[in-house]
Amino acid sequence: MLAKVTSCAVVGLDAALIEVEVDKGRGLPSITIVGLPDAAVQESRERVRAAIRNTGLAFPDSRLTINLAPADLRKEGPAYDLPIALAILLASEQIFADLDGAIVMGELSLDGGVRHVSGVLPMAVMAREQGFQTLFVPADDAAEASLIDGLDVYPVPNLLALVDHVTGHSRLAPFQRDFLPGDPDDLPPHTADLAEVRGQEHVKRALEVAAAGSHNLMMTGPPGSGKTLLARSMPSILPQLTIDEALDITRVYSVADALPADEPLIHHRPFRAPHHTISYAGLIGGGRWPKPGEISLAHRGVLFLDELPEFGTRMLEMLRQPLEDKVVSISRSAGSLTYPANFTLIAAMNPCPCGYFGDPEKECTCSMTMVSRYQKRISGPLLDRIDIHVEVPRVDYEKLSSDRLGEPSKTVRARVEAARERQRVRFEGTPLSCNDDMGPAEIRQFCQVDEAGQSLLKAAMQQMHLSARAYHRVLKLGRTIADLAGSEGIQTAHIAEAIQYRPRRMV
Ligand SMILES: Nc1ncnc2c1ncn2[C@@H]1O[C@H](COP(=O)(O)OP(=O)(O)OP(=O)(O)O)[C@@H](O)[C@H]1O
Ligand SMILES: [Mg+2]
């Protein structure tokens, strides 16, 4: 007797259909799994056997062949336990059920309980695209699957509940989704309010521009001047997510198995701040069981790299490609995977090893060679990809001790939202969502500069030896500054501000 149950595999950020076929044949009792299974799938035999027995059903004493088709796709992880168990029960004619149009996934525990699996959101997306109607998922993952409209999502607590449901003994209730849009004032812990930061008005302005158009930003300054504090205030001024952006981010978190248990949909723009001891796979993505790295977890949010030179030249060079393409490709023995990585890079560093190079009062104790070597850890091509460079000098006593609070983050966020709204209208019907996403064609269309602005740009190109990339980046930045000012055209003042954010080597 042959039985078939449909399930899914995650490939990169997408899902593929998997047919689980079980054949019960004659011969000595044995179980063979074929179809490129990895070790976790092989171990499925033991879990399925125990789960079926402990559920009070009989595990067939015959020769079982389990095929996971298509055979050329590598099957990883324990998500096939539940479809395999169901197919075995069908093949051994213990149950009879029609599973047309249904997809089953879940890991089994030995007592028959169904455990969480990762990547349920991309599976649900694929199920809808392929015309499936019903999804049986672990109870913990039902909220995530229900983010996709038009599917009946059944939360399965254990194998017995699924058997009772498909045989019609006792039906499971479909999952009713209920989630509220994220509250913009509900911020991650350790988020500072801009009002708490004294002085540094030009840095706050730069953060506002960066948030409004998703431009990369670098802060340089002596120890204790507030760089980390300022970067940590970034989540308080980031614009709210649209539902499409939220789904886009949630897909990455679902595959990375990084969704918080109580939050099926990511409501806030990510703010990722990995430590500089992170591994390549941790930052870029990959690993034995490939997972998105920090640059993908920061998709449509912020990647904050504090003490930038400490990350090491090799690690930083690897950021060049994703910073340009906004996706990252990871090569594997079986083809390559692509994850999205459209993040805003916020970086902070000291100007030299002692930290005081260029400080008007405290003397720097480093030799010129040391300063130069330190700064060269950040290569020219990487600097060229960072649009906004600001110096963060030490704040003086008067400013620090004054009781006057600065502008609160809420007010700044309102301006950022208004600028994003202009961008949303501009890019309606295109896959772009903010100014930094523009390519050369869009730059030509949307970044027209007045005549005075053009001659300023020409002079800057010649004097500062700007690259073609820098030229385009200045135009995009000018567009954002104009959007913040509520201006339709890009004016000279906007271009001037954009140019003064370009990097200058200090030595
Ligand atoms: N402009 C400021 N306004 C208010 N507090 C400040 C300011 N700058 C620094 N501080 C105080 O100093 C502390 C240290 O600042 P922060 O960690 O941001 O410095 P940093 O520039 O990142 O230094 P480092 O280069 O050593 O990492 C802050 O937690 C805060 O208490
Ligand atoms: Mg710091």
Side-chain angles (χ1 to χ4, degrees):
M1 173 71 189
L2 177 76
K4 277 189 198 176
V5 175
T6 308
S7 191
C8 288
V10 177
V11 187
L13 274 201
D14 297 311
L17 278 185
I18 301 290
E19 280 303 337
V20 177
E21 300 173 322
V22 173
D23 178 64
K24 180 170 160 274
R26 292 213 188 121
L28 290 172
S30 67
I31 319 175
T32 316
I33 303 183
V34 296
L36 225 55
D38 78 347
V41 181
Q42 287 292 1
E43 287 166 0
S44 168
R45 285 183 282 204
E46 306 310 323
R47 287 191 299 270
V48 168
R49 192 200 304 267
I52 289 183
R53 287 211 177 119
N54 291 330
T55 297
L57 296 155
F59 193 86
D61 255 345
S62 28
R63 192 188 149 91
L64 295 175
T65 309
I66 301 167
N67 181 32
L68 306 176
D72 58 353
L73 182 72
R74 193 159 184 83
K75 322 296 181 309
E76 290 163 345
Y80 308 106
D81 291 359
L82 191 60
I84 289 176
L86 200 59
I88 289 177
L89 295 174
L90 287 165
S92 59
E93 298 179 52
Q94 295 184 63
I95 61 171
F96 298 92
D98 176 16
L99 288 170
D100 257 3
I103 290 181
V104 185
M105 64 199 93
E107 174 185 340
L108 281 172
S109 63
L110 300 187
D111 64 359
V114 177
R115 288 198 170 133
H116 151 82
V117 294
S118 59
V120 167
L121 184 61
M123 295 181 191
V125 172
M126 192 247 6
R128 189 186 55 183
E129 281 168 7
Q130 304 259 344
F132 284 82
Q133 184 58 44
T134 313
L135 225 51
F136 295 104
V137 299
D140 288 346
D141 303 324
E144 186 185 328
S146 73
L147 293 174
I148 303 301
D149 287 321
L151 289 172
D152 298 329
V153 175
Y154 290 97
V156 182
N158 52 51
L159 177 60
L160 190 61
L162 179 61
V163 167
D164 282 346
H165 176 90
V166 297
T167 52
H169 281 311
S170 123
R171 310 285 291 179
L172 288 166
F175 188 84
Q176 300 294 337
R177 78 168 172 197
D178 58 335
F179 48 76
L180 306 164
D183 175 0
D185 291 325
D186 175 17
L187 293 167
H190 315 299
T191 303
D193 195 288
L194 280 182
E196 296 298 331
V197 186
R198 304 294 144 96
Q200 314 295 26
E201 298 307 329
H202 66 295
V203 189
K204 293 183 194 173
R205 164 70 181 173
L207 285 171
E208 177 178 339
V209 175
S214 178
H215 302 288
N216 303 326
L217 176 141
M218 158 95 106
M219 290 180 278
T220 317
S225 57
K227 299 180 296 296
T228 305
L229 187 68
L230 281 155
R232 293 225 167 257
S233 67
M234 194 69 178
S236 66
I237 61 166
L238 288 175
Q240 261 202 303
L241 288 173
T242 63
I243 183 74
D244 287 341
E245 286 177 322
L247 280 173
D248 204 17
I249 299 169
T250 305
R251 233 154 99 129
V252 179
Y253 277 69
S254 170
V255 170
D257 210 3
L259 272 180
D262 55 346
E263 199 181 332
L265 181 68
I266 299 280
H267 291 299
H268 298 290
R269 280 184 199 274
F271 180 87
R272 308 291 300 189
H275 189 253
H276 56 73
T277 50
I278 191 173
S279 67
Y280 295 120
L283 186 68
I284 306 294
R288 186 146 165 244
W289 286 284
K291 285 266 154 81
E294 288 292 332
I295 60 168
S296 298
L297 293 172
H299 182 54
R300 296 193 182 278
V302 170
L303 179 71
F304 173 42
L305 301 183
D306 207 356
E307 321 292 352
L308 192 69
E310 305 302 329
F311 280 81
T313 317
R314 250 195 83 201
M315 186 88 87
L316 294 179
E317 289 310 288
M318 286 197 297
L319 288 175
R320 280 166 57 175
Q321 180 263 328
L323 274 173
E324 198 75 3
D325 303 341
K326 299 179 188 296
V327 295
V328 60
S329 294
I330 294 157
S331 297
R332 307 198 64 212
S333 51
S336 75
L337 293 175
T338 303
Y339 294 125
N342 188 356
F343 57 90
T344 310
L345 174 68
I346 306 280
M349 66 181 279
N350 299 124
C352 67
C354 86
Y356 292 99
F357 182 77
D359 193 284
E361 276 137 49
K362 193 158 169 157
E363 204 179 324
C364 170
T365 55
C366 311
S367 69
M368 278 321 262
T369 329
M370 280 162 79
V371 179
S372 156
R373 198 180 301 144
Y374 189 74
Q375 292 189 2
K376 280 195 180 126
R377 288 203 212 164
I378 323 284
S379 72
L382 184 63
L383 286 178
D384 206 35
R385 286 163 170 78
I386 301 180
D387 310 289
I388 306 179
H389 290 252
V390 274
E391 280 168 37
V392 188
R394 208 135 39 98
V395 269
D396 55 28
Y397 175 77
E398 274 71 37
K399 274 195 188 135
L400 207 51
S401 58
S402 96
D403 285 334
R404 236 190 78 227
L405 283 181
E407 197 177 25
S409 291
K410 223 174 176 162
T411 325
V412 180
R413 189 172 66 219
R415 288 197 297 269
V416 170
E417 293 281 7
R420 274 286 168 117
E421 179 57 23
R422 296 182 85 91
Q423 298 170 49
R424 202 190 55 71
V425 172
R426 175 175 309 136
F427 301 127
E428 186 98 69
T430 72
L432 314 187
S433 70
C434 59
N435 288 336
D436 193 54
D437 293 346
M438 285 191 281
E442 291 86 20
I443 293 176
R444 198 160 4 93
Q445 190 181 352
F446 298 117
C447 299
Q448 295 299 335
V449 185
D450 63 14
E451 222 163 87
Q454 275 183 19
S455 51
L456 178 66
L457 203 49
K458 187 175 168 193
M461 285 276 297
Q462 287 165 349
Q463 277 171 26
M464 296 169 71
H465 311 292
L466 295 188
S467 65
R469 178 194 294 119
Y471 170 72
H472 280 153
R473 284 187 171 265
V474 166
L475 285 174
K476 291 198 270 188
L477 198 55
R479 182 66 269 168
T480 301
I481 295 167
D483 284 339
L484 275 170
S487 161
E488 207 44 57
I490 306 178
Q491 293 162 7
T492 318
H494 306 146
I495 288 293
E497 185 178 346
I499 290 173
Q500 57 102 8
Y501 287 133
R502 288 307 304 172
R504 273 167 280 248
R505 278 261 180 218
M506 278 171 284
V507 282

